[in-house]
Amino acid sequence: MAENSACEPLLLCDNVGKSNKKSPLFLLSVKWALKILMWVIFVLWVSLLFIYPLELGSKVSLTWINATSHSLYGVTGSIFLLFGGPVFLIAFLAILQVAISKEEEVEEKPAPKKARFRLWTFPVIVDGPFGVVSAGEFIGILVFSVFIIWIASVYIIKDSSKLSGIRSLWEKSVWMLEITGLRFGLIGLFCLAFLFLPVSRGSVLLRLVDIPFEHAARYHVWLGHLTMLIFSLHGLFYVIAWTMKGELIKELLDWKNIGIANLPGVISLSAGLLMWVTSLPPVRRVQFELFFYTHQLYVVFVVFLALHVGDFVFSIAAAGIFLFMLDRFIRFFQSRSTVDIVSAKCLPCGTVELILSKPASLHYNALSWIFVQVRELSWLQWHPFSVSSSPLDGKYHIAVLIKVLGDWTEKLRGRIMNISDQEYQKEPLLQPFYNITASVEGPYGHESPYHLTYANLILVAGGIGISPFLAILNDVLHHINEKKPCLPRKILIVWAVKKSNELPLLHSVDMGSICPRFSDTLDLEIQTYVTRESEPSLEEGEVHKLGGSSVFPIPNGSAMSVLVGTGHIIWSGIYVLVPTIGLAITLGLLNIFYINPSGITYWWYKGLLFIACMVASVVIFGGLVIGLWNYWDRKAPKAEVSEDFEKEITRSPQTENDENTRNHENFTSTIRYGERPDFREIFGSISEKWGDVDIGVIVCGPPTLQTSIARECRGQNINRRKNHPIFHFNSHSFDL
């Protein structure tokens, strides 16, 4: 590859492989117009939430309701449009934004001459209840905290001024407890409006802001704790007030037809508390399955919340819940497909490699995740794994590495080894058991391959955390070899493992074969630390040989489903748009033919009907789109699968290339036994050698490793001198 063409490219979008032409001015203008419009809508929506408890907010809300409540949808439609309309509108605009970004040509620009700080990659909190928190996330936490404190304070001041008309201290106390409980219920609904947005794995909103699901899941956890705390206070204040009045049991069992129905609220809160308790770290880490199964009570929580408050109050939080329902429905259909495991290998280090079949039309990034279920082991358990292959490794497969750590992974390894033994013995009676099938959800991840946007990379892995970095290394080498836009020119890999039998994992990347002259362009250094061995083992000479059993079952032609929220943006957009229109149609028909003619006024019943309309819209209209999507995928012209597919899945590292790889001028690899990496020394040395540049630091490993790297990045950035780099912290660890 020519040196001039390799020094200064910068990947600006994920649509790699196209010609490097500038985007048309029209597309660029539309993109910026959409971005500005979405920001205006978002700011107005947030402003409405902030002013809602004020007199101004009340006037705005009443004016809106009076102007729109005479329509077919009544007050429920007015409130739903007021609080949920901005969410849907931003989602629709996001579809256009992402689609335009996909159509943009890749443009090359020189790398920045000076390092610059970025809010989302600057860790400000590295330890504590929130884990590692970037400056951008910290600002978001502050804004949300200010919002909660502000709205609670305004209501307390406002309600306290009304106490003068009540003479008895006891009556004042009861009234204040009840009204405070009411206010906390409203605040909880505002939090609930946000709660389901980050947990929608394929959400177009996450794609818009390029936040992958494994990061957004943390925001759902934070919001979940806050929401349940507020709803618990909501219930607690009412319980105290009812106890003071001596009507606790009567009120708890009360189910009003007009007004708030208390018993459904008790059921909803009970389900929420059970989810909350089992999601706390001490319980979740020890009894993960208990946490997972009790978390399915969110259905009970949402349905009985709608019965508790009625349709028009529930509509405050309905938009986010509806988008989550859409995501959950398409995930259900994708997970019903059976996927061929075309290759399975048990490595000596206690790691399993699975190669799964995928269609050529399904794209992913090197830093993507998939959720895998093996039905022969369990019909209920889903496990997340980062991919270990690059999308440029081949069109028809995707690979994952699985560390054997628990019962499920132990059963998986045992089954693969049994199949391998059967294959070796060639016993005809056992032939039906050769196949292993899987179900897959995903891939999910960043909208763009951000690892290609750093000229300098430090990849820090602990144990099996090396898996995504194998994908990165493959990806970078392929881009260099194929002369595609790729900024990384210096890569340092720091890998800590317990025992030397894990070392072959890193050397499974046949660098010399992928890109024979990669050292002309890429300065690569690998530092490996074997922490529990003081000296090389007797088998050190075999370190580059990947042993283990393998099995190649006869494929059934079943590949991963293209039905995924992060897949085809046009179909993903249609899938969001059509059910939303369907919801409006369903609610309208319900009002025309049932609610209005029958004079339905019961709050809880109308809340149930509202939920039923949401479900019907997702199933009927969403199902229609999914059917058309599947039909389009089957009828779309497909390239004939060539013999390259067999080469893709049978390709293995060639040990004869190892010596050739070691002899590359800009490639060094060191292994240190009985040591742990001294990150202060490593980062300090890099600061002196690499100068005033941006360095992308990506860490994949346990929380303690993430904390150590984040602390070092923060310390280096705070104490940075003029000619030293800025370290941009990025975590690639799925931790629920």
Side-chain angles (χ1 to χ4, degrees):
M1 183 175 179
E3 183 178 354
N4 291 339
S5 66
C7 292
E8 298 182 337
L10 172 62
L11 183 72
L12 293 181
C13 72
D14 65 337
N15 197 9
V16 293
K18 292 186 177 182
S19 58
N20 296 325
K21 297 179 182 179
K22 292 186 177 180
S23 303
L25 181 61
F26 174 74
L27 282 180
L28 189 61
S29 302
V30 172
K31 183 178 178 180
W32 275 102
L34 288 172
K35 186 178 293 187
I36 293 172
L37 182 57
M38 284 186 288
W39 269 109
V40 169
I41 295 171
F42 179 74
V43 170
L44 289 176
W45 183 49
V46 173
S47 300
L48 171 66
L49 296 180
F50 266 92
I51 68 170
Y52 187 78
L54 300 175
E55 293 297 330
L56 175 61
S58 299
K59 290 181 180 179
V60 170
S61 302
L62 287 174
T63 301
W64 170 263
I65 291 173
N66 290 333
T68 58
S69 61
H70 299 293
S71 67
L72 175 64
Y73 300 97
V75 176
T76 301
S78 299
I79 297 177
F80 188 40
L81 197 58
L82 182 64
F83 289 97
V87 178
F88 286 118
L89 191 54
I90 292 174
F92 299 153
L93 295 175
I95 295 166
L96 298 176
Q97 175 81 6
V98 175
I100 290 174
S101 298
K102 288 285 186 183
E103 292 298 323
E104 285 184 338
E105 301 286 357
V106 176
E107 182 181 354
E108 291 185 357
K109 287 185 178 181
K113 294 182 179 180
K114 292 186 177 181
R116 289 177 289 187
F117 289 101
R118 300 172 191 171
L119 290 177
W120 291 99
T121 58
F122 188 100
V124 293
I125 300 176
V126 298
D127 202 1
F130 294 105
V132 179
V133 178
S134 68
E137 292 170 336
F138 184 69
I139 292 172
I141 292 173
L142 282 181
V143 171
F144 211 88
S145 300
V146 168
F147 166 68
I148 299 299
I149 295 171
W150 156 259
I151 195 171
S153 302
V154 170
Y155 276 132
I156 289 173
I157 295 172
K158 199 179 197 180
D159 296 333
S160 298
S161 63
K162 301 176 182 178
L163 290 174
S164 56
I166 305 175
R167 295 183 179 181
S168 169
L169 178 60
W170 182 85
E171 291 180 352
K172 287 182 179 180
S173 300
V174 171
W175 185 85
M176 196 64 188
L177 285 169
E178 289 185 331
I179 197 66
T180 304
L182 175 66
R183 301 307 189 192
F184 273 116
L186 179 62
I187 297 171
L189 282 173
F190 287 154
C191 294
L192 194 63
F194 293 93
L195 180 63
F196 286 89
L197 295 176
V199 81
S200 300
R201 296 177 184 175
S203 171
V204 69
L205 298 177
L206 297 184
R207 297 182 69 183
L208 172 68
V209 294
D210 202 12
I211 295 178
F213 169 68
E214 68 269 18
H215 291 186
R218 296 201 312 155
Y219 309 151
H220 172 75
V221 172
W222 299 346
L223 285 168
H225 289 315
L226 177 62
T227 302
M228 285 313 306
L229 174 62
I230 291 173
F231 275 139
S232 297
L233 292 174
H234 161 70
L236 180 62
F237 279 114
Y238 271 111
V239 166
I240 295 173
W242 294 337
T243 302
M244 291 177 64
K245 293 194 298 183
E247 300 176 350
L248 178 60
I249 302 301
K250 175 187 173 184
E251 291 289 353
L252 289 177
L253 299 178
D254 185 47
W255 192 315
K256 295 185 181 70
N257 290 326
I258 307 297
I260 301 297
N262 293 339
L263 182 57
V266 172
I267 297 173
S268 177
L269 183 58
S270 299
L273 289 174
L274 189 56
M275 287 191 293
W276 189 24
V277 170
T278 54
S279 69
L280 296 175
V283 180
R284 186 183 72 244
R285 291 170 184 167
V286 177
Q287 296 288 339
F288 184 83
E289 289 191 6
L290 177 63
F291 151 74
F292 176 79
Y293 295 133
T294 55
H295 231 62
Q296 308 313 307
L297 289 173
Y298 71 85
V299 177
V300 176
F301 175 78
V302 170
V303 170
F304 279 89
L305 176 64
L307 298 178
H308 173 54
V309 299
D311 57 335
F312 69 91
V313 178
F314 178 76
S315 62
I316 293 175
I321 296 173
F322 184 72
L323 291 177
F324 171 77
M325 291 168 64
L326 284 172
D327 178 78
R328 190 65 190 87
F329 190 63
I330 197 171
R331 282 165 45 201
F332 170 79
F333 269 94
Q334 189 196 22
S335 65
R336 294 309 94 193
S337 300
T338 301
V339 180
D340 286 332
I341 299 179
V342 295
S343 173
K345 181 181 293 185
C346 294
L347 307 180
C349 59
T351 300
V352 172
E353 181 190 51
L354 297 182
I355 297 180
L356 305 168
S357 175
K358 82 169 191 68
S361 59
L362 183 62
H363 301 287
Y364 68 98
N365 290 326
L367 284 171
S368 293
W369 292 81
I370 61 173
F371 287 79
V372 178
Q373 174 208 59
V374 178
R375 297 182 180 179
E376 287 81 1
L377 305 182
S378 172
W379 280 79
L380 297 176
Q381 294 188 44
W382 289 84
H383 297 268
F385 303 105
S386 57
V387 303
S388 59
S389 59
S390 163
L392 298 178
D393 282 338
K395 298 179 180 179
Y396 306 106
H397 80 278
I398 187 170
V400 294
L401 289 173
I402 302 172
K403 183 69 174 178
V404 178
L405 294 173
D407 293 339
W408 187 87
T409 52
E410 187 65 48
K411 291 178 183 177
L412 177 63
R413 180 175 64 174
R415 187 169 184 85
I416 292 171
M417 295 184 72
N418 288 338
I419 292 176
S420 181
D421 291 341
Q422 294 168 15
E423 185 182 39
Y424 177 76
Q425 296 168 5
K426 299 187 181 301
E427 299 180 17
L429 295 177
L430 297 176
Q431 291 293 328
F433 298 95
Y434 271 25
N435 282 7
I436 302 178
T437 57
S439 296
V440 177
E441 287 186 11
Y444 304 108
H446 279 277
E447 182 68 15
S448 59
Y450 70 92
H451 60 281
L452 297 179
T453 64
Y454 290 106
N456 310 277
L457 281 173
I458 297 179
L459 310 178
V460 183
I464 196 60
I466 195 65
S467 177
F469 299 153
L470 300 180
I472 287 180
L473 193 53
N474 270 325
D475 209 39
V476 170
L477 291 172
H478 278 297
H479 276 80
I480 292 174
N481 189 57
E482 299 174 23
K483 299 183 180 180
K484 294 184 176 182
C486 172
L487 195 56
R489 290 300 173 261
K490 292 181 180 179
I491 298 180
L492 169 64
I493 299 177
V494 181
W495 185 30
V497 296
K498 294 179 180 179
K499 296 184 178 181
S500 58
N501 64 350
E502 298 183 56
L503 297 180
L505 290 178
L506 183 58
H507 297 278
S508 64
V509 179
D510 188 4
M511 294 180 284
S513 175
I514 296 173
C515 185
R517 298 184 57 83
F518 73 87
S519 65
D520 295 345
T521 304
L522 182 65
D523 185 355
L524 176 63
E525 180 181 358
I526 302 175
Q527 297 180 11
T528 307
Y529 295 82
V530 183
T531 60
R532 294 191 180 180
E533 294 181 5
S534 57
E535 58 184 12
S537 63
L538 296 176
E539 295 81 12
E540 185 192 11
E542 305 295 321
V543 71
H544 300 302
K545 294 182 179 179
L546 280 172
S549 57
S550 61
V551 54
F552 297 91
I554 301 173
N556 296 321
S558 301
M560 293 169 58
S561 171
V562 296
L563 296 176
V564 56
T566 53
H568 196 286
I569 183 58
I570 301 300
W571 277 110
S572 298
I574 295 173
Y575 179 70
V576 174
L577 182 62
V578 171
T580 304
I581 297 173
L583 178 60
I585 295 173
T586 307
L587 287 172
L589 292 176
L590 184 69
N591 280 309
I592 292 174
F593 293 105
Y594 183 58
I595 292 180
N596 293 338
S598 303
I600 303 297
T601 57
Y602 291 179
W603 285 25
W604 67 268
Y605 187 48
K606 293 179 72 174
L608 181 62
L609 292 175
F610 191 90
I611 284 283
C613 286
M614 293 171 65
V615 173
S617 301
V618 171
V619 173
I620 297 172
F621 293 91
L624 175 63
V625 174
I626 287 175
L628 293 174
W629 191 347
N630 268 319
Y631 179 79
W632 171 85
D633 183 62
R634 289 196 303 269
K635 292 297 182 181
K638 302 183 187 305
E640 186 176 349
V641 179
S642 65
E643 295 179 357
D644 293 338
F645 176 62
E646 185 177 351
K647 295 179 181 179
E648 288 178 16
I649 64 173
T650 58
R651 186 186 306 157
S652 60
Q654 303 296 321
T655 57
E656 58 266 29
N657 287 330
D658 292 339
E659 192 64 35
N660 182 38
T661 299
R662 291 194 195 97
N663 291 334
H664 281 286
E665 182 180 352
N666 290 335
F667 171 62
T668 58
S669 178
T670 58
I671 302 176
R672 301 179 184 180
Y673 291 85
E675 296 183 30
R676 295 183 180 274
D678 185 342
F679 294 114
R680 178 167 298 181
E681 178 184 344
I682 293 171
F683 278 65
S685 174
I686 290 297
S687 294
E688 297 294 336
K689 289 193 300 184
W690 290 7
D692 184 14
V693 295
D694 290 302
I695 299 179
V697 180
I698 308 177
V699 57
C700 185
T704 52
L705 180 63
Q706 298 177 54
T707 299
S708 300
I709 300 302
R711 182 180 292 110
E712 194 58 42
C713 288
R714 184 183 65 178
Q716 292 287 341
N717 291 340
I718 291 175
N719 300 318
R720 174 179 180 262
R721 287 184 287 180
K722 184 177 181 180
N723 294 322
H724 281 191
I726 292 176
F727 296 91
H728 299 273
F729 177 83
N730 298 273
S731 172
H732 187 73
S733 299
F734 196 100
D735 183 27
L736 278 179

